[in-house]
Amino acid sequence: MRVVVKLSSLKLREGRESVIRHLVDNDKPIFFIVPANKNVWHVLLYRDEIFKSFSKRLKQPEIYHGYDKIIEKRNEERNAISTLELVKCVCYGFLKRSQIITLVKSKSIPINEVNVVMAYDENGKFNFATKMLLTSEVNNFKIFSLPYLESIKHGKMLFTDKSVNSYNKYSDIENNSVHIDVDFDSLYVFESDIESYIVNDLNAIPDDSPYFIPIELRQLTELDQLAVLGYQLFANNCKSTMKSKDLAAKIERTLGYSGKKADVAAYFLSPSPKGKKITAEPLNNINPNCKFPFLVKALNTYGVNSDTGAIAKVNQSIQAFFSDLGFSEDNVKYAEIMIRIKKQGD
């Protein structure tokens, strides 16, 4: 499954406009997050379905015997709904090439409808939410591109406020549909499409550092940002005299943690943390007192290959791991939170 990242959150080798131009020139998709307070509806009108049905049989459906009569018969109900379905668990909507170009110039654009949205399936993985038939190659993102997105013609996806949960006729849809304001700072992309543009601070951390995270464990949890901060602060000063409260305060300012979570993060980042003694053998030779490697070990042991449907059991196993080693109650609680696998785009 491809990783989705927010473009504005990345440290890039070039400006965002340049990266976006690269994506558009290479037909790579760019998308926006659909707010949780909006519903998404897949709407297919009867007239669209009739035309599509004939188009499949003939290149010129208007010469099909009886076509005119059918269209005339249906003219009065040309806005009759053939398909109307609330699409659940939507996370992203995809932008067309023209919309992306406008957005780069104006920095903000209202989106009223889209061809395709992406949603989480029952296993927490991405899937496409549209009634069209999709090949396995498309579902695996192998041929997913801007031209392909713009070629999809099977109704449309409209947005409403969350309070709208039913429709009876097309006029209801028109009256209740809303737009989503998408701005330049809220664009998402597939990480693999811009890998060459990303400056990754994790790559600067040597593998013998207590803050090292193996490549296969990156981009999954909050540990990435903690590792970068820890290495920047303590790479050449394993005997730092920075007090825990000062480190916690810096974590609050830098990462947005607050209260006990900031205190626990400070405990795991500190080269020589104070507190309850644990029973485990040190995991790092350079700095045996640092406890950050235990977060990485727990993630590698319990988090990476966990079944999405058994999240509660995984969390319990992680908590038990830290508890059995003698970590304090708060450290156990927030350690598990910090190594939870993030949903795509978080």
Side-chain angles (χ1 to χ4, degrees):
M1 182 175 66
R2 294 176 69 179
V3 175
V4 171
V5 291
K6 188 175 183 180
L7 198 56
S8 62
S9 68
L10 302 173
K11 183 185 291 187
L12 302 170
R13 301 184 188 281
E14 297 185 17
R16 265 184 284 161
E17 291 188 12
S18 176
V19 174
I20 290 173
R21 282 196 296 271
H22 161 79
L23 291 170
V24 172
D25 290 344
N26 289 276
D27 295 328
K28 301 299 183 182
I30 298 176
F31 31 105
F32 61 95
I33 199 163
V34 176
N37 64 349
K38 296 291 185 288
N39 274 338
V40 178
W41 300 83
H42 175 228
V43 183
L44 178 64
L45 301 183
Y46 186 86
R47 65 168 189 248
D48 298 327
E49 193 162 47
I50 285 288
F51 188 82
K52 182 180 179 183
S53 177
F54 280 98
S55 296
K56 284 183 177 179
R57 304 178 191 180
L58 297 169
K59 293 183 178 179
Q60 294 178 294
E62 63 273 11
I63 68 173
Y64 182 83
H65 179 70
Y67 180 83
D68 289 339
K69 290 183 179 180
I70 293 176
I71 295 302
E72 182 179 355
K73 181 180 179 181
R74 293 294 179 182
N75 195 41
E76 293 183 359
E77 50 185 278
R78 64 191 302 272
N79 285 332
I81 297 173
S82 171
T83 300
L84 178 62
E85 183 178 358
L86 177 63
V87 185
K88 299 180 179 179
C89 301
V90 172
C91 46
Y92 301 108
F94 290 87
L95 295 169
K96 296 180 180 179
R97 187 187 304 270
S98 60
Q99 293 171 327
I100 297 170
I101 294 172
T102 300
L103 181 57
V104 170
K105 292 179 179 178
S106 64
K107 305 306 179 188
S108 180
I109 185 174
I111 303 296
N112 299 301
E113 62 182 64
V114 293
N115 288 11
V116 181
V117 293
M118 199 188 297
Y120 291 113
D121 63 17
E122 63 274 11
N123 295 317
K125 295 182 178 180
F126 284 145
N127 209 333
F128 293 98
T130 178
K131 282 298 183 182
M132 62 174 291
L133 294 176
L134 293 164
T135 65
S136 59
E137 287 80 12
V138 172
N139 267 327
N140 288 328
F141 307 104
K142 291 181 181 178
I143 62 171
F144 202 56
S145 65
L146 277 175
Y148 180 81
L149 279 172
E150 297 183 2
S151 72
I152 296 173
K153 304 293 182 185
H154 192 74
K156 53 190 174 184
M157 303 287 177
L158 297 179
F159 309 109
T160 69
D161 290 328
K162 204 72 172 180
S163 58
V164 179
N165 51 32
S166 65
Y167 278 131
N168 294 316
K169 51 187 179 180
Y170 187 67
S171 59
D172 291 339
I173 301 175
E174 290 183 312
N175 293 334
N176 288 293
S177 65
V178 298
H179 69 267
I180 294 175
D181 288 317
V182 178
D183 61 53
F184 189 64
D185 293 328
S186 59
L187 299 178
Y188 290 78
V189 298
F190 289 124
E191 183 183 42
S192 57
D193 289 339
I194 59 167
E195 280 181 332
S196 61
Y197 289 91
I198 299 175
V199 177
N200 193 338
D201 290 327
L202 287 172
N203 292 337
I205 304 176
D207 57 8
D208 61 353
S209 167
Y211 305 106
F212 176 76
I213 299 178
I215 293 176
E216 65 273 15
L217 300 182
R218 298 175 187 178
Q219 304 296 330
L220 298 175
T221 69
E222 297 177 20
L223 295 193
D224 291 9
Q225 57 187 2
L226 286 169
V228 170
L229 181 59
Y231 184 70
Q232 290 173 346
L233 291 174
F234 307 119
N236 299 310
N237 190 6
C238 291
K239 296 181 180 180
S240 172
T241 57
M242 179 181 283
K243 295 180 179 179
S244 296
K245 65 176 183 179
D246 295 331
L247 178 54
K250 185 170 183 63
I251 291 171
E252 287 188 17
R253 294 192 304 270
T254 307
L255 305 182
Y257 291 6
S258 60
K260 290 185 178 180
K261 186 176 181 181
D263 293 336
V264 171
Y267 170 82
F268 280 101
L269 287 191
S270 175
S272 186
K274 296 180 180 180
K276 186 178 179 182
K277 186 177 180 179
I278 66 169
T279 58
E281 292 294 321
L283 297 179
N284 182 263
N285 293 327
I286 299 295
N287 185 4
N289 292 324
C290 183
K291 303 300 185 291
F292 188 83
F294 288 97
L295 294 173
V296 178
K297 181 177 181 179
L299 173 61
N300 186 47
T301 304
Y302 301 102
V304 177
N305 298 315
S306 61
D307 183 354
T308 308
I311 292 178
K313 286 186 176 180
V314 172
N315 294 345
Q316 290 174 2
S317 297
I318 293 172
Q319 289 176 354
F321 168 80
F322 286 103
S323 182
D324 290 346
L325 294 178
F327 285 91
S328 70
E329 185 176 338
D330 284 340
N331 288 342
V332 169
K333 175 183 176 180
Y334 288 100
E336 182 271 312
I337 291 174
M338 289 187 289
I339 61 175
R340 285 181 184 176
I341 304 295
K342 296 186 291 186
K343 284 188 176 182
Q344 297 294 328
D346 286 357

